[in-house]
Amino acid sequence: VAEVTEKQAKEALGLKLLKAALADYVKEVLKPAWKEGNINKDAYKAIVKKVVDKVSGSLQGHQIPRSQENVDQYMAQSQSKIAKLVQVLAYRNMIMILRYENSIYIHYGQDVIFHNLDIRHDVFYPFVSGLCREIQEDLILRYEWLLN
């Protein structure tokens, strides 16, 4: 039986503290979308898990904070990047693109935000260009898939 070194124990504790801090922060960022009914319980849980796994999994052993103070410092430095990731994942879960006969409908939560009777590229692409890059790519892929 291999013994756990003090370094490994601190790393495990740090990772546990980081995951808890990440989950709390993601829940805070998602709270408005949840309250407005734009995401359901399954999407909420999936986004929290995906962000925690992605962020914690991207760290090498030496990058993992080993104390609550280091976790707090990491979170303060990384909040904007984490918030952007949460927003992109939440948006992808809230948006739905549908084709019905010759119409395209884009729903965001419960609202129709785009409706184009002619499925014209000259209307769709300018609409999408106002969104962040990750969401643009996702919407364009869905749109082009619908046209095929």
Side-chain angles (χ1 to χ4, degrees):
V1 178
E3 290 193 27
V4 176
T5 66
E6 184 179 339
K7 182 180 176 183
Q8 289 171 323
K10 282 185 179 182
E11 201 172 280
L13 175 63
L15 191 57
K16 184 176 180 178
L17 293 170
L18 178 63
K19 286 183 175 186
L22 285 166
D24 289 344
Y25 181 68
V26 172
K27 290 174 185 176
E28 181 183 319
V29 173
L30 287 175
K31 194 178 287 186
W34 170 261
K35 284 185 176 181
E36 292 172 9
N38 288 329
I39 56 174
N40 63 29
K41 182 178 178 180
D42 292 334
Y44 181 90
K45 289 167 59 175
I47 293 166
V48 172
K49 181 176 179 1
K50 192 175 282 190
V51 171
V52 170
D53 291 347
K54 185 173 182 111
V55 174
S56 62
S58 70
L59 299 175
Q60 301 295 321
H62 68 280
Q63 296 172 312
I64 297 172
R66 288 178 171 55
S67 67
Q68 186 62 53
E69 182 181 331
N70 293 134
V71 168
D72 294 342
Q73 184 180 16
Y74 177 85
M75 292 300 296
Q77 292 172 347
S78 305
Q79 276 188 345
S80 63
K81 288 182 182 181
I82 295 167
K84 184 176 179 181
L85 175 61
V86 172
Q87 290 167 349
V88 167
L89 292 172
Y91 191 88
R92 286 181 178 166
N93 275 283
M94 289 187 285
I95 198 154
M96 181 172 47
I97 184 168
L98 305 167
R99 179 178 182 179
Y100 178 72
E101 294 179 0
N102 286 332
S103 299
I104 290 284
Y105 297 86
I106 299 176
H107 292 259
Y108 177 73
Q110 300 168 358
D111 303 318
V112 176
I113 57 170
F114 180 81
H115 172 226
N116 179 9
L117 292 174
D118 302 324
I119 311 178
R120 295 187 344 241
H121 298 307
D122 62 321
V123 175
F124 179 78
Y125 288 106
F127 165 77
V128 173
S129 69
L131 306 172
C132 78
R133 185 182 54 80
E134 293 88 350
I135 295 169
Q136 286 177 14
E137 292 169 358
D138 188 47
L139 271 179
I140 289 170
L141 283 172
R142 292 181 194 195
Y143 178 73
E144 291 173 350
W145 179 81
L146 280 175
L147 296 180
N148 293 331

